[in-house]
Amino acid sequence: MAGNLFDLSGRVAVVTGGNGGIGLGMAEGLAGAGAAVLIVGRDAAKNAAAEARLREAGARAASLVADVADPAENRRLVAAAEERFGRLDIFVANAGINIRRPPEKYLPEEWNTILTTNLSSAFYGAQAAHPAMLKQKGGKVIVIGSMTSIFGASFAAAYSASKGGIVQLARALATAWARDNIQVNAVLPGWIDTDLTRTGRNEVDGLHERVLARTPAGRWGVPEDMAGIAVFLASRGSDFVTGAAIPVDGGYAVQA
Ligand code: NDP
C-alpha cells in the first residue's frame, strides 16, 4: 500500500459528544490526521468552543446542536455533514451519560434515558450514516464501550447494560456491512479524566484511588490518549479490522 496509511485528508467525520472529553480527544486526532470534523452535542456553547479549538489548530470543522437520543436528529446531523463537507466517511458514536445509583433504586425513566442515550443513539447514528457510506463504497463506524462492557459495576447497572450492548451492536453491524466495505469497531476506554468521571469521583467514595491502584499504567487516561485509536479505526490502516472491541485502558482490563 502506497502513502501514509493513516492519512485522513479529504475524509469527513462526525463525532457525537465531540464537544468535550473523549469525543474531543478523538475529534482532535481525526482533524490532526486531515479529516474535516462535524462536532455534535446538545450544548451550543461547548460546541462552539470545541469547533474554535479545532479551527485554531488549522482543521476544517463545524458543529451542530442535536440530541442523539432521537433517530430523526441523527438523520439531520448526517445530512448536515454531507451538506457542509460534501460526504461522510467516519461516524464516531461517542455521546454518553451515566446516572449512578444502586440498581434497586433505579427509576424506569432513568433506565430508558441511559439506554437510549448510550446504546440506541449509536444504532440510530450508524443507521443514518449507512446510506452516505454506501454511496461512496465504504466507511468507518466507531462506537464507544467501556470497561463496563466487560466488568460489572454495582452503581451503574443501566450504563453497564448499555455498554455491553454497544459491543454486540458493533459485532452485528460489522457482519452486516463488511461486504459494503464499512468497518464497525468498538473502543473500550479505561478510566479517562473527563467531566463524566469527575462527577463519578464526587459520587463514588474511593473511586480515584481504586482506579490508580488497579491501572497498570499507574495513571488515569486523558482525552488525548483516545486520539490514536480513533485515527487508526478511521483510516485505511484498519480496513480488515471489523467487529473488534479494543480496550484503551493502560492495561486495566488485563490486570488480574
Ligand atoms: P463527557 O461527559 O465529557 O462527554 C459526553 C459528551 O456527550 C458531551 O460532549 C455531551 O455533550 C455529549 N452528549 C451527552 N448526551 C448527549 C445527547 N443526548 N445528544 C448529544 N450529545 C450528548 O464524557 P466522556 O468524554 O467521559 O464520555 C464520552 C463517551 O465515553 C461516553 O459514551 C462514555 O460512556 C464513554 N466512556 C467514558 C469513560 C471515561 O472514563 N471518561 C470510560 C469509558 C467510556 P452535551 O452535554 O453538549 O450534550
Side-chain angles (χ1 to χ4, degrees):
M1 262 191 221
N4 179 350
L5 273 181
F6 308 111
D7 181 15
L8 300 179
S9 307
R11 304 281 156 150
V12 176
V14 162
V15 183
T16 73
N19 65 24
I22 288 174
L24 183 54
M26 289 189 157
E28 292 192 295
L30 297 172
V37 180
L38 177 69
I39 299 268
V40 177
R42 295 162 302 176
D43 184 317
K46 276 162 63 184
N47 281 358
E51 180 186 336
R53 190 164 148 155
L54 293 182
R55 282 175 186 277
E56 276 157 27
R60 286 196 299 154
S63 61
L64 185 76
V65 172
D67 182 344
V68 296
D70 178 350
E73 288 280 87
N74 283 277
R75 292 192 291 274
R76 185 169 72 86
L77 68 90
V78 166
E82 285 192 287
E83 192 179 306
R84 179 64 198 265
F85 297 119
R87 54 189 287 138
L88 176 62
D89 305 277
I90 302 152
F91 191 92
V92 184
N94 160 79
I97 55 169
N98 196 4
I99 299 170
R100 293 169 197 84
R101 184 162 305 167
E104 63 275 19
K105 303 230 164 87
Y106 242 83
L107 304 173
E109 48 274 30
E110 292 173 326
W111 168 271
N112 287 334
T113 299
I114 298 295
L115 268 289
T116 308
T117 307
N118 294 4
L119 177 58
S120 307
S121 66
F123 178 65
Y124 301 148
Q127 200 180 39
H130 184 246
M133 293 179 175
L134 258 191
K135 216 168 24 188
Q136 70 215 23
K137 301 193 171 7
K140 304 282 188 177
V141 178
I142 302 170
V143 296
I144 311 300
S146 157
M147 289 297 100
T148 65
S149 300
I150 311 171
F151 305 112
S154 60
F155 49 85
Y159 185 86
S160 304
S162 73
K163 294 301 187 180
I166 277 283
V167 170
Q168 286 304 105
L169 175 65
R171 290 174 179 155
L173 297 180
T175 52
W177 295 345
R179 294 290 177 102
D180 299 331
N181 189 32
I182 298 168
Q183 289 81 45
V184 185
N185 292 290
V187 175
L188 315 185
W191 288 91
I192 313 297
D193 184 18
T194 67
D195 287 352
L196 183 77
T197 48
R198 252 163 255 145
T199 57
R201 273 179 278 183
N202 292 335
E203 290 169 7
V204 182
D205 267 356
L207 177 62
H208 178 71
E209 292 71 23
R210 269 189 283 136
V211 168
L212 283 183
R214 162 80 200 249
T215 305
R219 66 171 175 88
W220 281 67
V222 290
E224 297 74 43
D225 287 320
M226 309 306 297
I229 191 74
V231 172
F232 170 63
L233 290 177
S235 73
R236 69 193 165 94
S238 61
D239 278 356
F240 204 53
V241 179
T242 199
I246 304 175
V248 180
D249 64 350
Y252 186 98
V254 295
Q255 172 75 62

